[in-house]
Amino acid sequence: MKFDDLDAKMRVYETAQDRCILPEMYMVARIDGRGFTRLTKEVHQFETPFDEKFRDLMVETVKHLMNCGFNIIYGYTQSDEISLLFHPNENLFGRKVRKYISVLAGEASAKFSSILGSIGAFDCRISELPNKRLVEDYFRWRSEDAHRNALNAHCYWQLRKDNHSRNQASSKIQGMSIAAKNELLFQYGINFNNLPAWQKRGIGFYLKNIKKEGFNPKTSEYVPIDKRVLHIDFELPMREEYNKFIIDFLE
């Protein structure tokens, strides 16, 4: 059998499950750390409940993903996960799902591992959202998940530091109301409202116009110019304001 015939025969098995995302569907990729509890608590022993060094590893990973060939208009990270909103007209790889999943998981894993100095792996999934409202809902969902996880994590680790076992700490906060969890932290001298916003709401990434001084070679003068730079937002707005914030990227 000639090679061209063999190649055509075998590629059918490789591409039989290929599926493309329909035009005009909004795409959001969620890239999640695999086995990061062990990686961050046992292998590298990052500070609990939040570690700025780990936060910065995730920030650098998102920056890399937003500059690796895709048309991404908004990035977001909280804990060990990353969400990326693609431009509605994104058409790289003909919108083949398997390509987005494999490339993004690979790029995230490679970048994170290279900075950390040991292996950190990510998986990836794609949400296909038919309208702007669902895009808003998606990012509100991840933001509220960040808030819930932050509150639980601070409660859990305060109890652990107070000589509670893992089971005791988990059992104590299970079923507690938000108000009760805030009161628990207050008993340890912590006002949850005063904790850094990035811990409670995550971090946003988007292009922003800034004024910068440029040189005009024709007139030999320095003139103000507009430049688009990647902005990292550690102070994302809360709930209702966050919805409006996300809408701005969809206009």
Side-chain angles (χ1 to χ4, degrees):
M1 183 181 291
K2 293 181 179 180
F3 176 79
D4 287 349
D5 294 334
L6 179 63
D7 184 61
K9 175 184 176 180
M10 298 313 299
R11 283 189 184 275
V12 171
Y13 295 93
E14 188 176 61
T15 61
Q17 300 301 317
D18 268 356
R19 188 175 65 81
C20 299
I21 298 170
L22 292 172
E24 299 184 15
M25 293 282 282
Y26 291 99
M27 294 188 292
V28 180
R30 183 147 70 99
I31 302 146
D32 207 3
R34 180 174 179 267
F36 268 42
T37 298
R38 179 177 178 275
L39 179 72
T40 58
K41 302 299 185 292
E42 298 176 21
V43 178
H44 289 279
Q45 298 181 343
F46 285 103
E47 183 180 343
T48 56
F50 291 91
D51 189 302
E52 291 188 3
K53 290 180 291 185
F54 179 79
R55 176 202 68 187
D56 293 344
L57 287 170
M58 295 300 294
V59 165
E60 291 302 314
T61 303
V62 180
K63 286 166 60 178
H64 172 73
L65 292 173
M66 293 191 72
N67 192 37
C68 68
F70 296 96
N71 189 356
I72 297 166
I73 57 178
Y74 181 66
Y76 174 80
T77 184
Q78 59 111 343
S79 185
D80 64 345
E81 71 169 54
I82 297 164
S83 293
L84 304 172
L85 172 62
F86 295 88
H87 191 282
N89 296 329
E90 169 65 86
N91 196 40
L92 194 62
F93 302 122
R95 297 169 72 90
K96 289 180 181 177
V97 175
R98 70 175 174 89
K99 295 293 287 186
Y100 287 87
I101 289 173
S102 60
V103 171
L104 289 168
E107 291 279 359
S109 301
K111 181 62 178 180
F112 185 91
S113 299
S114 68
I115 307 171
L116 180 63
S118 63
I119 295 174
F122 290 82
D123 62 32
C124 179
R125 69 213 75 172
I126 302 289
S127 291
E128 304 169 42
L129 307 171
N131 56 58
K132 295 179 181 180
R133 178 61 183 273
L134 284 171
V135 176
E136 296 170 45
D137 286 345
Y138 175 91
F139 283 101
R140 189 177 76 251
W141 170 46
R142 301 324 304 151
S143 177
E144 292 187 5
D145 183 73
H147 188 277
R148 183 195 62 177
N149 288 342
L151 182 57
N152 288 341
H154 276 283
C155 289
Y156 175 83
W157 286 107
Q158 282 301 317
L159 291 170
R160 291 299 309 278
K161 291 172 185 176
D162 196 22
N163 296 319
H164 289 68
S165 68
R166 281 184 286 188
N167 288 340
Q168 288 171 335
S170 297
S171 297
K172 188 173 179 66
I173 64 175
Q174 187 174 11
M176 288 179 70
S177 67
I178 292 175
K181 290 174 185 176
N182 275 278
E183 178 59 29
L184 173 66
L185 290 180
F186 195 73
Q187 291 172 9
Y188 288 101
I190 298 172
N191 186 332
F192 186 71
N193 292 328
N194 294 337
L195 292 174
W198 66 267
Q199 295 184 12
K200 299 178 292 184
R201 298 194 287 276
I203 303 166
F205 301 73
Y206 48 91
L207 291 172
K208 188 176 182 179
N209 286 326
I210 64 167
K211 289 288 185 182
K212 193 172 182 181
E213 190 177 69
F215 182 73
N216 186 335
K218 293 183 178 179
T219 62
S220 298
E221 295 178 328
Y222 286 95
V223 295
I225 58 172
D226 288 323
K227 186 175 181 180
R228 297 271 281 173
V229 298
L230 183 63
H231 177 68
I232 304 171
D233 196 336
F234 291 89
E235 298 283 341
L236 290 175
M238 296 180 67
R239 300 180 181 178
E240 289 77 11
E241 293 84 358
Y242 188 60
N243 275 17
K244 183 179 182 302
F245 175 77
I246 293 298
I247 289 172
D248 289 341
F249 295 102
L250 302 174
E251 297 301 327

